[in-house]
Amino acid sequence: MKKEYENKQVYFVGGGLASLAGAVYLVRDCDFPGENIHILEGMHILGGSNDGAGNATNGFICRGGRMLNEETYENTWELLSSIPSLEKEGMSVCDEILAFDHDHPTHANARLINKDGEVIDVLSMGFDNADRMALVKLMLTPEEKLDNLRICDWFAGTPHFFETNFWYMWQTTFAFQKWSSLFELKRYMNRMIFEFSRIQTLEGVTRTPYNQYDSIILPIKTYLDDFGVDFSLKYTVTDLEFEEGDNITVKTICYEHDGKEGILKLNHGDLCIVTNGCMTDNASLGDFNTPAKMIAENPMSGNLWAKIAAKKEGLGNPKPFFGNAEETNWESFTVTCKGDKLLKMIEKYSRNKPGSGALMTFKDSNWLMSIVVAAQPHFKNQPEDTTIFWGYGLYTDKEGNYVKKVMRDCTGEEMLVELLSHLHFEDEIDEIMDSVVNVIPCMMPYIDAQFQPRAMSDRPKVVPEGSTNLAMISQFVEIPEDMVFTEEYSIRAARIAVYTLLGLDKKICPVTPHMYDVRTLLKAVNASFR
């Protein structure tokens, strides 16, 4: 088979999880020569939105945390079962993650907290009959009737839905907004129906031993290094040129590298697999004394997608996703401390050891702030005397309850003061601040872009109709039944792309039909009446 591929090249545009997964499928399942696989990434590091970086001197940074799930990440676990662990000899990354997760079970004891600092009893979902009927009707409505509808459109007649414990927990777990796409809420309800009955404890969250870069991206890159895969960093792809005719055939990849423009000409049989949208485009960092900037203009992947979509039919429409940063942004912050004083205080308050509590949400926060305290260490290079946690706010244009500034204008210090005030640790703020190394804010203008209201046709197919050598892989392609904003979506898209373009007759793990499991449905119904 290698002879068949001898002179053929595959070019991945973007170096995120989807491209890395696609490269694994090429070398593992297609026996494709690694040196003929090229991953073009505009940043200086691979991993895309699966990041984790920093040090104990300047502070660590997680722009966010990507939730895994044992029951629904079918292709993710299959892929990671092929990747050797970097720390445990003879063990796969899949087994490593699941073993760690089973040793660190999640059971949140402080899921929602009110303005008085009291942990709310969230065993009850808080639904009334109108809420339940609206949800049931949504589950029964065909997707083709939901074009461009927002969640708030569906529940306009039952505004009480947005005051329920369920909505606050579901919204902050998955980062939905009231104006998010109704498509996506319905798909999440279908795909995560078993999570419905345990949303108050988040027992379904699967933990990685470290942040997702160290636990997932680094082992995959190491695996691909052994095959000689070419990683071309700081290569920003600016455009694709197509051959004339009705088919979709990429003939040239245009790029910038070190301030110089260049082109890659594709020969017959070469493939181009494009990340057509990235939710962390234009992300910017601040620090303890500096706010992160809101940079809405010219998202790299969104611009590329717009250029190629204008040239050929069937490549989707980026405007609904990359056209309104005011609706798609939220902001995270990562806190690095010397010692564990603050983590111990949070542990006592929440009755959760680091790594066991998932998300703590301050229900009355004007920013709708949540925090996550992961098991320590959360970074491979994190010293024993250093601790970290991260959090985020969904409403960055709102003034804080305690710090009288909108979130996006706040420094890292001000974000931490707002958090400590919600925890009612005000009397110890000065002492806590003495242990703080840094608080790094991260503004992400397009982090919720994949949740924007849309028509079904706005997301292109992974392999568009008429394509001879182009596939698109990202959170912005259309995969029936699956849910965006997940590792699984990226990996499933990559697998579809590679198998389709190379004509491989090999099964892709299907979406597990939890929605049709009677026991799961009964649990969900019972939970809705709690």
Side-chain angles (χ1 to χ4, degrees), residues 12-65:
F12 287 93
V13 176
L17 177 62
S19 291
L20 296 174
V24 172
Y25 291 127
L26 282 169
V27 298
R28 189 194 75 176
D29 297 343
C30 305
D31 201 25
F32 203 92
E35 61 271 20
N36 291 13
I37 301 171
H38 312 276
I39 296 180
L40 310 173
E41 170 54 56
M43 297 194 300
H44 69 284
I45 190 170
L46 298 168
S49 301
N50 283 261
D51 60 352
N55 55 63
T57 303
N58 301 312
F60 292 92
I61 174 68
C62 289
R63 290 183 293 184

Side-chain angles (χ1 to χ4, degrees), residues 45-325:
I45 190 170
L46 298 168
S49 301
N50 283 261
D51 60 352
N55 55 63
T57 303
N58 301 312
F60 292 92
I61 174 68
C62 289
R63 290 183 293 184
R66 307 291 161 246
M67 189 187 85
L68 303 180
N69 182 267
E70 190 167 345
E71 290 94 337
T72 59
Y73 282 40
E74 301 90 354
N75 292 280
T76 302
W77 303 125
E78 194 279 339
L79 177 85
L80 296 180
S81 67
S82 302
I83 308 299
S85 162
L86 297 181
E87 295 191 346
K88 294 188 165 49
E89 193 172 346
M91 183 177 275
S92 71
V93 169
C94 173
D95 290 340
E96 180 183 40
I97 291 173
L98 294 180
F100 178 84
D101 180 67
H102 296 164
D103 287 342
H104 299 78
T106 301
H107 189 99
N109 293 316
R111 186 64 188 83
L112 294 182
I113 299 156
N114 68 17
K115 63 180 183 299
D116 298 318
E118 299 166 340
V119 175
I120 299 171
D121 180 0
V122 291
L123 185 59
S124 169
M125 295 283 192
F127 293 136
D128 61 22
N129 283 334
D131 299 327
R132 295 185 189 100
M133 290 302 296
L135 274 174
V136 170
K137 184 180 177 183
L138 175 60
M139 302 299 276
L140 296 175
T141 301
E143 281 192 349
E144 53 265 27
K145 295 186 177 182
L146 304 180
D147 267 12
N148 298 310
L149 285 178
R150 304 170 297 173
I151 296 171
C152 56
D153 296 329
W154 189 263
F155 293 98
T158 54
H160 174 264
F161 176 79
F162 295 112
E163 299 303 320
T164 61
N165 288 334
F166 167 82
W167 172 249
Y168 279 107
M169 293 187 289
W170 198 268
Q171 175 184 25
T172 53
T173 299
F174 303 117
F176 279 107
Q177 301 280 20
K178 293 177 184 178
W179 54 82
S180 294
S181 168
L182 193 61
F183 275 133
E184 307 314 330
L185 178 63
K186 178 178 169 65
R187 286 198 182 179
Y188 263 74
M189 294 297 293
N190 284 340
R191 194 85 157 93
M192 302 289 281
I193 189 67
F194 60 89
E195 202 63 41
F196 189 92
S197 60
R198 60 192 190 191
I199 191 68
Q200 77 279 7
T201 61
L202 290 176
E203 291 173 42
V205 174
T206 301
R207 308 276 184 179
T208 53
Y210 301 108
N211 61 80
Q212 280 85 38
Y213 180 83
D214 285 337
S215 289
I216 296 176
I217 299 300
L218 203 54
I220 294 177
K221 181 187 182 299
T222 303
Y223 174 88
L224 294 173
D225 279 336
D226 290 342
F227 287 91
V229 171
D230 165 40
F231 300 106
S232 298
L233 301 179
K234 295 186 178 180
Y235 277 75
T236 301
V237 174
T238 56
D239 202 357
L240 303 180
E241 294 177 355
F242 298 94
E243 291 184 1
E244 298 291 333
D246 294 333
N247 285 339
I248 299 173
T249 304
V250 179
K251 66 176 182 180
T252 302
I253 297 172
C254 307
Y255 66 86
E256 291 179 359
H257 176 61
D258 287 341
K260 297 177 183 178
E261 296 182 352
I263 60 169
L264 294 166
K265 292 184 178 179
L266 273 63
N267 296 316
H268 180 72
D270 291 351
L271 304 177
C272 180
I273 302 178
V274 178
T275 301
N276 63 303
C278 176
M279 61 190 179
T280 48
D281 264 3
N282 289 23
S284 68
L285 303 180
D287 58 32
F288 193 78
N289 299 307
T290 312
K293 293 180 180 178
M294 173 77 157
I295 307 170
E297 300 80 16
N298 300 317
M300 184 193 308
S301 60
N303 280 359
L304 174 62
W305 184 12
K307 286 180 182 178
I308 64 175
K311 297 178 182 181
K312 288 285 185 179
E313 292 288 329
L315 300 187
N317 173 24
K319 287 183 180 178
F321 309 104
F322 290 94
N324 192 345

Side-chain angles (χ1 to χ4, degrees), residues 67 69 72-73 174 184 187-192 194 451 459 475 479-490 492 511:
M67 189 187 85
N69 182 267
T72 59
Y73 282 40
F174 303 117
E184 307 314 330
R187 286 198 182 179
Y188 263 74
M189 294 297 293
N190 284 340
R191 194 85 157 93
M192 302 289 281
F194 60 89
F451 279 165
R459 295 201 308 214
Q475 302 293 314
I479 303 176
E481 298 184 334
D482 209 354
M483 56 184 183
V484 293
F485 213 0
T486 61
E487 311 286 66
E488 175 66 15
Y489 209 84
S490 294
R492 186 183 293 272
V511 170

